[in-house]
Amino acid sequence: MGIKVLVVDDSSFFRRRVSEIVSQDPELEVVGTAVNGAEAVKLAAELKPQVITMDIEMPVMDGITAVKQIMASSPVPILMFSSLTHDGAKATLDALEAGALDFLPKRFEDIATNKDDAIALLQQRIKTLGRRRLFRPAVRPSTATAKPRTTSAQSSALTRTAASNKPLQPQVTDKPTSRSTAVARASGKKYKALLIGTSTGGPVALQKVLTQLPANYPHPILLIQHMPAAFTPTFATRLNSLCKIEVKEAQTGDQLRAGCAYLAPGGMQMMLERSGSFGRIKVLAGKPEMNYKPSVDITFASASKLFGGDVLAVVLTGMGADGREGARMLKSVGANIWAQDEASCVVYGMPQAVTNAGIATKSISIEQMAESILKETAHG
């Protein structure tokens, strides 16, 4: 029997189109459709689908409200469809915070230039969410109080290159393995920067980590989140409003500062280069054939050229293996690489890739990640 899917959208055309695409895959089965959020809540309880695809704007009950109610009563992985607009970005981030696990653009031409590729990607996303051995709602980020910000007067230096999937268990050990709630022991190593790469499940995971960092965090932070260009300005603004540190979408020429996090712009590549006594950011369009824009591999590799081993690089939840080769370059020059543990990942793909390759030195629950980072890097 295939993975059971409930398709929710007020457009009969879109419901039919998504249902056709889902049904084309022998591993997937459409068990029902709903025309609004209220129907979705009812059918989620009755049909017990393994994945729900959900529109955001619908009559009677919108998608965000439906996500909240479904996650409260009959939790199930939910894939949102979103418009690539400022309002669409805000609504999608709201849906992810409410408990949805992933999103795709509603226009198929925005998913991939080739129609067959777009269809394959949608099917793969649904299968990845549906195959999770154990589903539990994503960890909700703690609500952070905004900002009296004292920017630390430290700055540091920063430059260049780059290119799999599985389910849910919290542990911190010197060998990455399965389950514990311990905070990682500090190694005593000195650092110049914190790097974090992530994809599916990343918006909630990043918010969980970054809201726990103090305003005077002593290093610059580079964030690489797989996300469309229309979403990263909104996401950076949201993080900035919630965090004590400063968070901004990276721009060419940004000088790296302690206590500031720079989010790689969607559709671009974030590189690092020398500039006098300080490193600075260079944002490039990158090669069209690159699978990920932004790419964790490219930023990690760029950081290895400038910082050498004076870096803590963390790979959080995400589909695929982006970050593995960049992390390998960082480790070869002495950097410290951590991965999120399997149990707390939405998709254990990117962390699994660095763990299975023997690159990650620790596997840490998202619940313990911020405290572990602080313990490891808070000394200047």
Side-chain angles (χ1 to χ4, degrees):
M1 184 186 293
I3 293 167
K4 298 187 291 184
V5 182
L6 174 64
V7 177
V8 184
D9 200 289
D10 62 321
S11 162
S12 59
F13 170 80
F14 198 76
R15 281 198 312 277
R16 185 169 62 252
R17 183 73 184 114
V18 171
S19 297
E20 288 170 354
I21 290 170
V22 171
S23 299
Q24 284 171 20
D25 192 306
E27 297 181 54
L28 302 175
E29 175 192 3
V30 176
V31 293
T33 62
V35 301
N36 58 56
E39 272 192 26
V41 174
K42 179 173 178 288
L43 290 178
E46 291 175 1
L47 301 176
K48 304 197 180 327
Q50 291 160 278
V51 179
I52 297 174
T53 69
M54 180 83 72
D55 190 22
I56 290 177
E57 295 183 15
M58 294 181 291
V60 184
M61 181 186 290
D62 65 88
I64 297 168
T65 304
V67 169
K68 290 177 182 176
Q69 293 196 14
I70 289 168
M71 299 312 286
S73 59
S74 40
V76 58
I78 298 175
L79 172 69
M80 304 301 296
F81 283 110
S82 168
S83 62
L84 295 185
T85 63
H86 172 78
D87 289 343
K90 183 182 180 307
T92 302
L93 292 170
D94 287 343
L96 293 174
E97 195 164 329
L101 293 191
D102 200 3
F103 66 92
L104 281 173
K106 188 156 187 178
R107 295 196 324 160
F108 277 45
E109 54 268 42
D110 291 328
I111 297 176
T113 50
N114 180 289
K115 178 179 149 187
D116 291 339
D117 289 346
I119 289 171
L121 180 58
L122 172 56
Q123 292 169 339
Q124 182 56 44
R125 291 286 183 91
I126 293 172
K127 286 190 285 189
T128 298
L129 296 180
R131 283 176 183 149
R132 300 175 74 206
R133 287 195 301 263
L134 170 66
F135 177 71
R136 67 186 66 151
V139 175
R140 295 282 182 86
S142 53
T143 306
T145 48
K147 228 149 214 111
R149 190 176 2 273
T150 53
T151 307
S152 163
Q154 277 186 330
S155 297
S156 294
L158 284 161
T159 166
R160 107 120 273 126
T161 144
S164 320
N165 278 349
K166 213 185 153 198
L168 292 176
Q169 269 191 70
Q171 167 125 336
V172 176
T173 58
D174 288 336
K175 287 183 180 176
T177 44
S178 42
R179 182 169 191 112
S180 134
T181 53
V183 174
R185 294 187 300 275
S187 67
K189 180 179 171 65
K190 299 292 184 182
Y191 292 95
K192 292 180 179 175
L194 170 65
L195 313 179
I196 305 178
T198 185
S199 182
T200 310
V204 171
L206 283 173
Q207 188 173 321
K208 180 75 179 174
V209 172
L210 296 175
T211 53
Q212 297 181 62
L213 301 185
N216 63 348
Y217 184 74
H219 309 293
I221 304 162
L222 297 168
L223 309 174
I224 311 95
Q225 161 75 58
H226 294 169
M227 188 172 269
F231 282 31
T232 45
T234 302
F235 186 41
T237 299
R238 173 175 295 215
L239 288 175
N240 188 58
S241 71
L242 293 172
C243 296
K244 300 178 186 73
I245 60 168
E246 181 181 355
V247 184
K248 72 184 299 289
E249 187 182 43
Q251 295 178 300
T252 293
D254 280 344
Q255 298 285 340
L256 295 167
R257 294 183 286 108
C260 185
Y262 302 85
L263 178 68
M268 307 293 281
Q269 302 296 357
M270 181 168 68
M271 312 280 287
L272 307 171
E273 62 181 11
R274 295 190 187 279
S275 172
S277 303
F278 303 100
R280 69 181 176 191
I281 289 173
K282 187 174 184 180
V283 175
L284 301 171
K287 297 179 181 177
E289 62 270 21
M290 287 297 298
N291 287 334
Y292 303 111
K293 300 174 189 174
S295 165
V296 181
D297 277 331
I298 285 181
T299 303
F300 277 18
S302 178
S304 75
K305 305 296 185 184
L306 182 60
F307 288 122
D310 298 334
V311 164
L312 174 61
V314 180
V315 179
L316 300 181
T317 174
M319 200 172 296
D322 185 30
R324 179 180 57 201
E325 299 313 311
R328 195 189 304 277
M329 290 182 67
L330 280 166
K331 185 164 186 177
S332 72
V333 294
N336 203 355
I337 314 297
W338 290 356
Q340 185 175 344
D341 75 328
E342 184 179 2
S344 63
C345 282
V346 170
V347 178
Y348 188 55
M350 289 166 56
Q352 182 185 42
V354 295
T355 299
N356 287 357
I359 299 167
T361 57
K362 294 183 188 292
S363 183
I364 302 175
S365 164
I366 196 64
E367 288 286 3
Q368 304 301 329
M369 189 64 77
E371 191 175 349
S372 297
I373 288 170
L374 284 170
K375 186 172 257 189
E376 177 68 16
T377 66
H379 50 276

